[in-house]
Amino acid sequence: MNAVEIEQAISDLALQPFDPAEFAYAFLEAFGNKATTIKRLRSGTSNKSDLGGVLQTNNIHIAVAEAGSVAKMLTALKASPATSRAKARFILATDGESFEAEDLDTGETVACSYQAFPDHFGFFLPLAGITTVKQLRDSSFDIRATSRLNRLYVELLKDNPTWGTEEQRHEMNHFMARLIFCFFAEDTDIFSGSSLFTDTVAQMSARDSVNTHEVISEIFRAMNTKQAERAAVTIPRWADEFPYVNGGLFSGSTAVPMFSRIARSYLLHIGGLDWTQINPDIFGSMIQAVADDEERGALGMHYTSVPNILKVLNPLFLDDLRAKLEEAGENSRKLLNLRNRMARIRVFDPACGSGNFLVIAYKQMREIEAEINYRRGERDRPTDIPLTNYRGIELRNFSAEIARLALIIAEYQCNVQYRGKQLALNEFLPLSADNWITCGNALRLDWLAICPPTGTGVKLLADDLFETPLDQAQIDFENEGGETYICSNPPYIGTREQEKTHKADMKALFEGRFDSWKAMDYVCGWFFKAADYGRHTSAAAAFVTTNSICQGQQVPLIWPELFSMGVKIHFAHTSFKWANLASHNAGVTVVIVGITQHKIRSCKLFSIGIDGVSSVAEVNEINPYLIPGPYRSLVPSRVSLCRLAEMVKGNYPVDGGHLLLSSNEREHLLSESPHADRFIRPFIGSNESIKGLQRYCLWINSPDLEEARSIPGINKRIKAVEEMRLNSKKEATNKAAMTPHKFDEIRQTGNESYAIVLPVHSSENRDFLPVSLYPKPTIVYGSAFALYDAPLWNMALIASRLHLVWIATVCGKLETRYRYSNTLGWNTFPVPTLTEKNEADLTRCAEDILLAREAHFPATIADLYNPETMPDNLRAAHERNDEVLERIYIGRRFKNDTERLEKLFDLYTKMTTEETKKVARKNV
């Protein structure tokens, strides 16, 4: 369950009559506990409460108290030995009137009426395995509002199905934006009187909801009509209390969908929430899912945390502004210069969604400006920072509307915070009709037209969000010139996932420039558009993107072209999880890359170590692999540059499955012909290696063919292979029909003593690559690589953290899985010259890893290398292996992966430079 679903379930529970016997089970069910878990608790199998309540190990101890004894029961729960034994994190007591709880880890408490406990649902989210609790608790109102609006939206579509069609969806979304504004305005005194909108709907619309749509429509019409004009258009007296809002928000059609009795009830409940708590930082990204059929299933998970957004904005420009503020101190002239500079700064998000980046940037800038005004003794001074300097492009119209609305709300809240409520109210209405969020395709639009480098008079290229006509007045920047900062979290979309429209966008952007775009991720379009933009203005850009563009085959496709345009990476954040709110959801792995085409003195490289600690290094250069140093293209090699053992792909049967046997097929064949055993070998590929599956194959050398054919079961299979190959449309496969007893592609003799086996694809969730050792007579399938009869210390290299970060960087990934390459990952892997002692130490490390695994037989690689349950002795063996290997490299453990990669690329550069010199000397 996600946070919104939990909030809905908790709210439903609070509305039901209190049932002392069922409350604890219903409460746990609301947090996603399965029916089987509840059943065990009911039976007492897993319920160890010593107070007649319900105790869930490692989670919560709940008890229902006698009337008026809630505090006393909470004290008893805290003192309970069972609570301690079960390591319960929470205790909860209620009598159906009062509600009290405590987080025993933090000491935080909740005390409220029973009906109000859903307001504190974020307090208990660890019960659902959701770990981003602080972010959620800070945004609990936004989640509740999203939940209620979603219910209303779905209910309205039931009775107004045409409003969900392509023709009317924009109108429906526009209606929702109007409602959000009304709820916010009535709770913040923008409308005179408390709850003006909700109360008017409640009083003027019938309980059976037959005229609810008409009442709301008249309210909207009033807010689009100036006071002096209302008599002429017969605005009802009861609607005359609403102010003139304008701004295009209520212009155009005032049609409202029909309301059922339930929908009217939902509307009134939404109005009953305290909308002063709305947080425009995140509300937009959550509410946009309400209006998106595909995203509604993930409702409440679309959340970008403020700390993550600041990972982009701070090094892009906010850190510099804060440094200048610190430098200015109390110097009035320097403070004035900084304020004037800030007034000209333009922030542009060309994939703005619901405006998160723009809202955060605006609020941070206002905070800095407020400090300037405070130091200059001008606390009540109007802001010099115009909203129209925060521009965006968004493909979906509802998200674009919400982005503009979020910025309007953010401006009002900042004015209240820094200038006082009365001044904020005086300046809020009527809204400006300017449109500075463009609805359109960012890869097709001219960014210079939407966010011009200097001057004014640039007309936007799309419809106004709030129905302003196409011939609207041109929207000018209020301040001439200035810096532009581009920041965004664009759609990633790998080349294999791109649809025809994405390919068409890329073709329109890149055709005629270079051909490598056909294999680029979709996000690359934003980097090149930013580079084009940067040729004409003083701009810097930073994008959140999957780490694929800084790994593997994407690097030589993208970055040489960008570098040829003068682009430099001036800051970057190495891989981290851009998490969302789904329970147990790890989030997508991303990087942040900041680019500019202007001179830079130094670069900043941010990274997060294995211990979770963030660090920043100031370096001269950052290369596309996001490590310090110049860019050097990493070229696949057919042989190991460090003369490591040869690694080859496994064998391909191309046999229609007839040379392969399951365990049952093997047993059946042997029961009929026991002497067939000499032709049957274990067959190991990726799945077999990781999951411990058993498969076999026929391995027949030509001198033994006659004997093999004398076995009926084998002869039948050989004939089937021959027929399959002859019927193939591939000429090479037809030729292979001449030797149907053999695999089509053979890369081993079958006489090797052992094989070190490594899957081509493996999960990125493991801390170590799943390398294994198999004895003779194992045959390796092409879904894995193998080193045959190689020194065992080679396995220690593959099992190391060093090798993992190397291949994750240079080989890239398939979807999110590691995609190993022998020519790109193994043959290029830089290893210092090893002494005999080094090799002996590493051999022992590999043996220790194998022995640690053996101690847990028959556990599979998948079992043993689950990060959550990895055995301590196996993890310790890997730690020793890393310790030994890393000391060979630098005499100590590396601090983090960035340092590991820096050393490896330095060695690679030296190795390839030396190799180049050798080739040059040979040619002389």
Side-chain angles (χ1 to χ4, degrees):
M1 295 178 73
N2 64 49
V4 169
E5 292 168 334
I6 291 168
E7 192 281 329
Q8 288 180 355
I10 285 293
S11 296
D12 289 343
L13 175 60
L15 292 172
Q16 296 167 11
F18 178 68
D19 185 340
E22 289 297 314
F23 170 76
Y25 304 115
F27 184 85
L28 290 171
E29 191 175 358
F31 280 92
N33 282 270
K34 296 179 181 178
T36 52
T37 303
I38 301 298
K39 185 177 180 180
R40 286 197 299 270
L41 287 169
R42 285 184 184 278
S43 68
T45 305
S46 59
N47 180 11
K48 305 300 181 184
S49 175
D50 54 357
L51 293 171
V54 174
L55 173 56
Q56 189 177 39
T57 301
N58 295 322
N59 263 355
I60 191 167
H61 197 174
I62 305 172
V64 173
E66 295 291 331
S69 301
V70 172
K72 183 178 178 181
M73 177 58 79
L74 195 73
T75 301
L77 287 168
K78 190 169 185 178
S80 161
T83 300
S84 179
R85 282 195 302 271
K87 298 180 180 178
R89 175 170 177 175
F90 296 96
I91 52 174
L92 188 165
T94 184
D95 60 0
E97 294 292 333
S98 298
F99 181 100
E100 294 190 24
E102 182 174 347
D103 183 336
L104 298 177
D105 282 2
T106 65
E108 292 182 84
T109 59
V110 166
C112 62
S113 67
Y114 178 81
Q115 288 74 20
F117 82 80
D119 293 340
H120 305 280
F121 78 97
F123 181 82
F124 297 101
L125 281 174
L127 296 177
I130 297 176
T131 55
T132 51
V133 175
K134 185 180 186 308
Q135 299 166 2
L136 278 169
R137 289 180 62 184
D138 290 346
S139 61
S140 58
F141 170 80
D142 303 274
I143 294 168
R144 298 202 75 189
T146 302
S147 170
R148 300 295 194 279
L149 286 164
N150 182 62
R151 289 187 182 190
L152 174 61
Y153 192 92
V154 171
E155 187 64 29
L156 288 173
L157 289 184
K158 284 182 186 177
D159 297 311
N160 303 269
T162 61
W163 283 66
T165 62
E166 196 64 36
E167 293 76 20
Q168 275 194 281
R169 177 162 297 178
H170 175 69
E171 198 167 358
M172 180 66 175
N173 295 341
H174 192 61
F175 168 70
M176 296 298 291
R178 288 168 167 174
L179 285 185
I180 292 168
F181 176 83
C182 289
F183 292 134
F184 174 73
E186 71 176 354
D187 283 356
T188 52
D189 293 334
I190 293 169
F191 294 166
S192 60
S194 176
S195 301
L196 178 63
F197 175 73
T198 303
D199 288 350
T200 301
V201 173
Q203 292 165 11
M204 301 307 301
S205 67
R207 288 180 177 270
D208 64 3
S209 74
V210 67
N211 68 332
T212 303
H213 64 293
E214 295 172 349
V215 170
I216 296 174
S217 178
E218 285 298 288
I219 293 172
F220 289 174
R221 194 163 68 93
M223 287 189 282
N224 191 47
T225 307
K226 295 178 180 179
Q227 292 289 342
E229 299 170 1
R230 290 187 176 185
V233 294
T234 61
I235 297 294
R237 183 171 296 178
W238 52 264
D240 200 38
E241 293 184 60
F242 288 89
Y244 170 57
V245 174
N246 197 0
L249 183 56
F250 295 98
S251 62
S253 171
T254 57
V256 172
M258 297 287 291
F259 274 68
S260 65
R261 188 189 297 264
I262 294 174
R264 179 179 180 273
S265 175
Y266 284 161
L267 180 79
L268 299 180
H269 280 143
I270 296 168
L273 297 174
D274 180 8
W275 282 78
T276 59
Q277 299 178 50
I278 191 173
N279 183 359
D281 302 359
I282 67 165
F283 179 74
S285 62
M286 301 177 79
I287 195 61
Q288 72 184 47
V290 168
D292 192 306
D293 292 336
E294 293 180 5
E295 293 186 15
R296 197 175 298 121
L299 188 68
M301 296 192 299
H302 295 265
Y303 171 82
T304 304
S305 70
V306 175
N308 274 352
I309 290 175
L310 289 176
K311 285 185 174 77
V312 178
L313 298 178
N314 281 340
L316 182 61
F317 70 99
L318 289 176
D319 282 345
D320 178 60
L321 295 179
R322 295 189 189 104
K324 290 293 187 290
L325 177 64
E326 182 70 21
E327 181 185 310
E330 301 295 329
N331 186 301
S332 183
R333 181 182 57 80
K334 288 184 177 180
L335 290 169
L336 178 60
N337 288 341
L338 178 58
R339 189 171 69 195
N340 290 340
R341 174 192 167 191
M342 289 172 58
R344 294 191 298 272
I345 287 176
R346 302 164 189 198
V347 182
F348 177 39
D349 184 345
C352 70
S354 50
N356 302 52
F357 281 79
L358 298 174
V359 168
I360 298 299
Y362 178 78
K363 291 175 70 173
Q364 294 289 317
M365 292 273 281
R366 286 293 303 269
E367 183 179 328
I368 296 169
E369 183 193 45
E371 178 61 25
I372 291 172
N373 291 342
Y374 174 76
R375 294 184 189 181
R376 284 176 51 86
E378 301 171 324
R379 294 185 65 170
D380 293 336
R381 192 177 192 280
T383 181
D384 288 335
I385 300 174
L387 278 189
T388 48
N389 274 13
Y390 295 78
R391 301 206 169 186
I393 303 174
E394 169 53 33
L395 191 61
R396 296 169 297 185
N397 57 41
F398 183 55
S399 296
E401 288 198 20
I402 293 298
R404 183 184 173 206
L405 191 55
L407 279 163
I408 289 170
I409 291 172
E411 181 185 46
Y412 174 77
Q413 290 177 334
C414 286
N415 285 340
V416 170
Q417 181 176 358
Y418 301 123
R419 305 191 62 224
K421 189 171 185 178
Q422 195 55 53
L423 284 173
L425 286 170
N426 291 343
E427 297 172 1
F428 188 69
L429 294 179
L431 299 178
S432 166
D434 289 350
N435 167 35
W436 63 98
I437 305 294
T438 301
C439 186
N441 185 332
L443 295 190
R444 300 288 187 135
L445 294 175
D446 179 2
W447 291 11
L448 287 166
I450 291 165
C451 191
T454 58
T456 58
V458 178
K459 187 175 169 60
L460 295 183
L461 302 181
D463 257 331
D464 179 70
L465 302 181
F466 297 144
E467 308 293 343
T468 303
L470 274 171
D471 60 354
Q472 62 175 310
Q474 296 169 346
I475 298 163
D476 298 343
F477 281 120
E478 295 184 20
N479 302 288
E480 178 73 18
E483 310 142 54
T484 300
Y485 296 102
I486 303 170
C487 53
S488 199
N489 182 6
Y492 311 134
I493 317 180
T495 182
R496 296 185 182 185
E497 289 77 42
Q498 290 171 25
E499 298 175 0
K500 287 183 179 179
T501 55
H502 303 127
K503 291 290 186 186
D505 290 341
M506 297 287 275
K507 182 178 181 180
L509 178 60
F510 291 118
E511 193 168 43
R513 296 171 67 169
F514 47 82
D515 293 330
S516 59
W517 65 267
K518 295 176 182 177
M520 288 182 183
D521 292 349
Y522 192 58
V523 70
C524 297
W526 274 259
F527 279 86
F528 282 91
K529 289 283 283 187
D532 288 340
Y533 183 93
R535 287 172 164 174
H536 303 282
T537 182
S538 175
F543 298 110
V544 181
T545 172
T546 49
N547 51 11
S548 60
I549 71 159
C550 295
Q551 297 175 348
Q553 300 295 344
Q554 289 281 313
V555 171
L557 294 177
I558 303 164
W559 291 98
E561 299 291 347
L562 285 170
F563 291 153
S564 71
M565 299 170 70
V567 165
K568 296 175 281 290
I569 299 174
H570 68 105
F571 82 89
H573 203 300
T574 59
S575 296
F576 67 97
K577 297 291 187 182
W578 192 269
N580 62 34
L581 299 185
S583 60
H584 306 290
N585 189 304
V588 65
T589 299
V590 302
V591 295
I592 297 169
V593 183
I595 60 172
T596 186
Q597 282 139 292
H598 300 279
K599 289 183 179 180
I600 48 177
R601 294 180 181 177
S602 63
C603 310
K604 288 187 176 180
L605 185 59
F606 299 83
S607 59
I608 299 176
I610 297 175
D611 56 3
V613 176
S614 297
S615 61
V616 58
E618 198 159 309
V619 298
N620 293 326
E621 288 181 90
I622 300 173
N623 75 28
Y625 295 105
L626 303 191
I627 59 172
Y631 172 58
R632 183 182 179 90
S633 179
L634 195 139
V635 181
S637 175
R638 292 186 178 182
V639 296
S640 169
L641 298 178
C642 295
R643 294 171 178 76
L644 302 175
E646 183 183 21
M647 179 185 285
V648 296
K649 201 84 171 280
N651 310 275
Y652 285 97
V654 191
D655 64 334
H658 302 296
L659 294 178
L660 307 181
L661 300 92
S662 66
S663 294
N664 289 338
E665 289 171 330
R666 172 181 176 271
E667 293 301 323
H668 179 72
L669 179 58
L670 290 177
S671 67
E672 291 183 340
S673 309
H675 56 292
D677 189 46
R678 66 178 294 228
F679 299 113
I680 301 174
R681 303 285 189 93
F683 187 63
I684 298 296
S686 175
N687 279 336
E688 291 76 21
S689 172
I690 293 173
K691 299 177 182 177
L693 305 177
Q694 287 189 321
R695 244 195 333 168
Y696 300 87
C697 68
L698 295 177
W699 191 262
I700 304 166
N701 294 316
S702 293
D704 303 321
L705 178 58
E706 186 175 346
E707 180 184 350
R709 280 191 176 275
S710 69
I711 300 170
I714 292 180
N715 191 46
K716 181 181 178 181
R717 286 175 174 270
I718 291 174
K719 286 182 177 179
V721 174
E722 182 178 19
E723 184 179 353
M724 173 263 162
R725 291 178 179 175
L726 286 172
N727 290 330
S728 173
K729 295 180 180 180
K730 296 181 179 179
E731 185 178 345
T733 305
N734 297 153
K735 290 180 180 179
M738 297 176 63
T739 54
H741 61 290
K742 287 186 174 184
F743 277 30
D744 186 38
E745 295 183 30
I746 299 175
R747 299 189 179 92
Q748 70 179 105
T749 65
N751 296 320
E752 298 84 4
S753 299
Y754 60 86
I756 297 171
V757 176
L758 177 66
V760 174
H761 299 121
S762 60
S763 170
E764 80 286 2
N765 293 325
R766 298 189 186 97
D767 296 329
F768 307 96
L769 290 173
V771 59
S772 301
L773 184 72
Y774 289 94
K776 182 181 179 179
T778 300
I779 301 301
V780 181
Y781 180 41
S783 63
F785 288 103
L787 292 83
Y788 298 107
D789 293 338
L792 196 55
W793 55 263
N794 284 262
M795 181 178 175
L797 296 181
I798 298 170
S800 69
R801 179 74 189 175
L802 266 171
H803 193 59
L804 176 68
V805 299
W806 177 255
I807 69 101
T809 301
V810 304
C811 295
K813 295 182 178 180
L814 178 66
E815 296 166 343
T816 59
R817 294 172 292 156
Y818 293 125
R819 177 176 55 198
Y820 200 91
S821 163
N822 57 341
T823 59
L824 201 55
W826 179 248
N827 292 343
T828 64
F829 184 53
V831 181
T833 302
L834 301 177
T835 65
E836 288 186 11
K837 184 178 186 308
N838 293 154
E839 293 177 358
D841 290 343
L842 291 171
T843 299
R844 179 58 186 271
C845 288
E847 291 170 344
D848 287 346
I849 290 171
L850 293 170
L851 288 170
R853 291 181 189 172
E854 189 66 26
H856 298 279
F857 180 83
T860 65
I861 291 290
D863 299 329
L864 293 172
Y865 284 84
N866 181 331
E868 303 295 327
T869 59
M870 188 175 182
D872 291 341
N873 67 328
L874 180 56
R875 188 173 289 280
H878 274 282
E879 288 292 332
R880 284 195 298 275
N881 184 54
D882 285 339
E883 174 87 23
V884 169
L885 182 60
E886 293 183 10
R887 285 190 177 279
I888 291 172
Y889 277 80
I890 61 170
R892 60 168 174 81
R893 290 298 300 270
F894 288 100
K895 295 176 183 177
N896 51 40
D897 289 345
T898 301
E899 192 179 35
R900 289 183 177 91
L901 285 170
E902 186 176 5
K903 180 62 178 178
L904 289 171
F905 272 95
D906 180 55
L907 282 175
Y908 175 79
T909 301
K910 291 175 180 176
M911 282 167 24
T912 50
T913 302
E914 189 60 34
E915 199 68 27
T916 303
K917 289 179 180 177
K918 287 180 182 178
V919 172
R921 284 196 293 268
K922 285 181 181 179
N923 293 334
V924 172

